[in-house]
Amino acid sequence: MLVLFGIPILVIGFVIGLNPLLVVAIAGTATGLLAGLDPLAILSAFGKAFVQNRYIGIVWLVVPVIGLLERCGLRERAQILIARVHAATTGRVLLIYLVIRQLSAALGLTSLGGHAQMVRPLIAPMAEGAEERHGPLTDDTRALIRAHAAAVDNIGVFFGEDVFIAIGSILLIKAFLGDNGIQVQPLDLAVWAIPTAVLAFAVHGTRLYLLDRRLARARGTAPGMSA
Amino acid sequence: MIGLDAVYILAGLMFGAFALQHALDAAAPRRWANTAFWGAYAATFLFGSALPDAVSGLLVLLMVVLAGLGRIGGARATAGTPEERRAGALRFGDRLFVPALVIPAVALLGTLFLKDATLGGRPLIDPKQVTLVSLGLGVIAALAVAYALLRPRLAAPLTEGRRLIDAVGWAAVLPQLLAALGALFLVAGVGKAVAEVVTHAIPLDNRFVLVAAYTVGMALFTVVMGNAFAAFPVMTAGIGLPLIVNVMHGDPIVMSAIGMLSGFCGTLMTPMAANFNIVPAALLELPDRNGVIKVQIPTGLILLGCNTLLMYWLVFRGA
């Protein structure tokens, strides 16, 4: 039970706003010490796992391309493009991205998306641009729209990918049940991910509709009157 | 054969170039701290496979200390002036979208078609790593297209890449550090201890309470560990299989599928899932580090309720 001590350290550290790298390192060290590891073993365990998980950092390879395109006006171009579409609102832009992200993930195409590749250079500027037609955005509104753009990317992929039979989580379930003497086909599992996928779209789609209403209220006009 | 090692070298060279730019930029704030931070990260990519674990650990410790002291990031954050960017948007037009779309297009085509490609009888790309290698190829292709279409200065991608990575700052390495924490938790047996706590106080006789304990437990465990994959075996071995399946005769397939998705609801609500929640907040330069999580919590909670009801209705169909 003593090893659980690392968890309150994490919670408290995050809540009081310490640097997360520091919080994680302290929580890991405390957990290791309580489990009877000596400091050098803890240092080695961190080093080994950090190096083994380098594949997570591969996504940063996109920053030179995205940075260059931003310097050349990619975000402004995305805003110009969306400003031409009169029916576009922030909520509708994000709803279309939610559909694309969920459907492509359900077909196993999870690499069509991502915060660095899609959200920062394209989706967030379009979502902001749709609202900027009604005037300059306050800092709070801009932050809210950007946070929603990131959330759509996550929700789309989480509740789309399990419909695909060869995704990691389905294979993990199949392997785990197999170890416990229950043989299942990936397709049988994937089918039962569909109800939640549909509900996720309904719930989050509704919230995007409400986001449009909230933005309209914030600028003092009713939704239909602004076009 | 192109494997992950080649991609790691590419990433190491890029982060090394970011470190070098910090070292050469006398005007930048906290010049040497940033140089050391990105230099250490570059070293883990370039030499990580060869270094002793303790030395890698020291590099990680250096990054943690520099970030903990608040010495990372904060270089100039703007990409030219707004007028320059608007002029670029008008001059280059929709051509600007082409390199941005090349990355996912090549990543996708590579994943679909390069898996079985061979060169002289040997696989061209390590089939297990085809997605990540394809992402690397996509970036190289996008750079080539960008040079051809936009004709920037030769070093412009590295200058602009450094600007972007400075905006992200320490958050760039948080997901990897959390993965390391997960490995330590595993060694220390944290998962088993959590499972004991969760499974201790469950009444055995009520179907709905059992289902709710399993789905909410999946979400809570995921909030703590940051990863539904870590929660699934523990919760399913602790509550799912012994109680819902063996005692109540629920369907293990329905239970597992919806159980995993209940864990994903937890992923939406935790800073521990840093690459989904904390990294985008940094990448989008949100003032609130938890801004993305706050937007996701309502959807996460509603869907957790939906999953609990769905499982309750569907898992006992044959029982």
Side-chain angles (χ1 to χ4, degrees):
Chain A
M1 281 305 122
L2 218 52
V3 293
L4 289 181
F5 195 61
I7 293 169
I9 294 181
L10 284 172
V11 174
I12 292 167
F14 277 118
V15 168
I16 65 175
L18 284 181
N19 180 282
L21 294 189
L22 200 60
V23 175
V24 171
I26 293 170
T29 307
T31 304
L33 289 174
L34 291 170
L37 300 178
D38 65 81
L40 187 66
I42 296 171
L43 189 71
S44 297
F46 260 115
K48 183 180 181 190
F50 191 87
V51 164
Q52 271 176 350
N53 286 288
R54 281 177 296 175
Y55 69 91
I56 299 173
I58 293 296
V59 67
W60 298 119
L61 278 175
V62 305
V63 298
V65 180
I66 301 300
L68 174 68
L69 295 176
E70 284 185 9
R71 180 75 164 74
C72 293
L74 176 65
R75 290 158 67 89
E76 285 72 12
R77 190 71 210 170
Q79 288 170 348
I80 292 172
L81 184 77
I82 213 66
R84 287 204 215 117
V85 184
H86 287 292
T89 63
T90 298
R92 287 177 196 163
V93 168
L94 294 179
L95 188 70
I96 290 169
Y97 185 56
L98 180 63
V99 173
I100 295 171
R101 187 81 167 125
Q102 255 196 311
L103 286 179
S104 58
L107 296 171
L109 311 177
T110 48
S111 49
L112 271 184
H115 297 112
Q117 307 96 306
M118 286 294 279
V119 176
R120 164 142 182 163
L122 295 171
I123 305 303
M126 286 188 191
E128 290 168 46
E131 181 63 19
E132 264 169 343
R133 267 191 305 202
H134 306 289
L137 303 183
T138 64
D139 288 347
D140 284 351
T141 304
R142 190 178 297 281
L144 177 72
I145 293 175
R146 288 183 177 183
H148 267 282
V152 164
D153 193 88
N154 285 335
I155 291 162
V157 73
F158 288 0
F159 299 101
E161 65 174 20
D162 264 20
V163 180
F164 183 64
I165 55 173
I167 207 75
S169 46
I170 294 285
L171 299 179
L172 174 78
I173 295 172
K174 176 179 157 55
F176 177 83
L177 291 181
D179 289 344
N180 286 279
I182 301 168
Q183 300 306 324
V184 296
Q185 292 305 313
L187 186 62
D188 296 330
L189 287 165
V191 165
W192 292 109
I194 293 175
T196 304
V198 172
L199 284 170
F201 180 75
V203 168
H204 204 68
T206 305
R207 289 196 58 217
L208 291 174
Y209 170 76
L210 295 174
L211 174 66
D212 268 349
R213 301 254 304 236
R214 177 173 167 186
L215 291 171
R217 260 201 316 278
R219 64 175 181 260
T221 52
M225 288 165 56
S226 51
Chain B
M1 189 171 78
I2 308 175
L4 266 188
D5 282 338
V7 187
Y8 289 157
I9 289 171
L10 193 64
L13 292 174
M14 181 187 79
F15 283 112
F18 293 160
L20 193 63
Q21 290 179 67
H22 273 290
L24 295 175
D25 188 350
R30 301 185 284 267
R31 177 181 174 190
W32 297 112
N34 280 296
T35 304
F37 185 88
W38 297 113
Y41 195 36
T44 65
F45 276 109
L46 290 172
F47 314 117
S49 315
L51 288 176
D53 293 338
V55 177
S56 304
L58 282 175
L59 290 171
V60 175
L61 189 63
L62 174 67
M63 288 188 270
V64 168
V65 169
L66 288 170
L69 294 172
R71 309 296 296 170
I72 300 310
R76 287 158 300 183
T78 51
T81 65
E83 291 73 30
E84 281 173 344
R85 293 199 304 273
R86 205 154 298 132
L90 295 173
R91 188 167 115 229
F92 297 119
D94 292 335
R95 273 179 292 169
L96 280 167
F97 295 119
V98 177
L101 296 174
V102 162
I103 298 175
V106 172
L108 199 61
L109 292 174
T111 307
L112 291 177
F113 298 113
L114 282 179
K115 208 183 307 182
D116 308 313
T118 54
L119 189 71
R122 297 176 55 214
L124 180 62
I125 289 178
D126 185 346
K128 278 181 290 210
Q129 312 295 356
V130 73
T131 306
L132 290 166
V133 174
S134 298
L135 179 66
L137 293 174
V139 168
I140 292 172
L143 270 180
V145 171
Y147 273 122
L149 287 179
L150 312 173
R151 309 213 165 273
R153 285 178 301 107
L154 195 62
L158 287 175
T159 321
E160 300 305 327
R162 172 208 162 188
R163 172 182 59 75
L164 208 56
I165 207 72
D166 278 344
V168 178
W170 51 260
V173 306
L174 180 59
Q176 258 174 272
L177 198 67
L178 280 166
L181 179 69
L184 256 172
F185 275 5
L186 196 67
V187 174
V190 172
K192 282 196 203 103
V194 171
E196 275 175 43
V197 174
V198 175
T199 51
H200 213 68
I202 310 287
L204 292 171
D205 50 353
N206 184 310
R207 284 178 169 185
F208 184 78
V209 172
L210 270 184
V211 166
Y214 179 61
T215 55
V216 175
M218 272 296 296
L220 274 180
F221 200 132
T222 306
V223 165
V224 170
M225 304 295 278
N227 187 345
F229 287 19
F232 179 78
V234 174
M235 291 302 300
T236 308
I239 299 179
L241 290 177
L243 301 178
I244 297 178
V245 174
N246 290 345
V247 176
M248 295 291 181
H249 308 292
D251 178 348
I253 297 175
V254 174
M255 180 190 77
S256 302
I258 300 178
M260 183 65 91
L261 292 165
S262 304
F264 287 1
C265 295
T267 315
L268 292 176
M269 303 190 278
T270 177
M272 296 294 287
N275 49 341
F276 296 111
N277 297 336
I278 303 297
V279 167
L283 195 56
L284 295 169
E285 296 168 64
L286 300 186
D288 180 359
R289 186 194 289 163
N290 294 315
V292 177
I293 295 174
K294 285 176 185 162
V295 161
Q296 290 175 162
I297 281 177
T299 300
L301 287 178
I302 294 170
L303 280 181
L304 182 58
C306 292
N307 279 332
T308 306
L309 291 175
L310 272 179
M311 191 186 293
Y312 177 65
W313 286 326
L314 296 173
V315 80
F316 301 116
R317 286 163 309 142

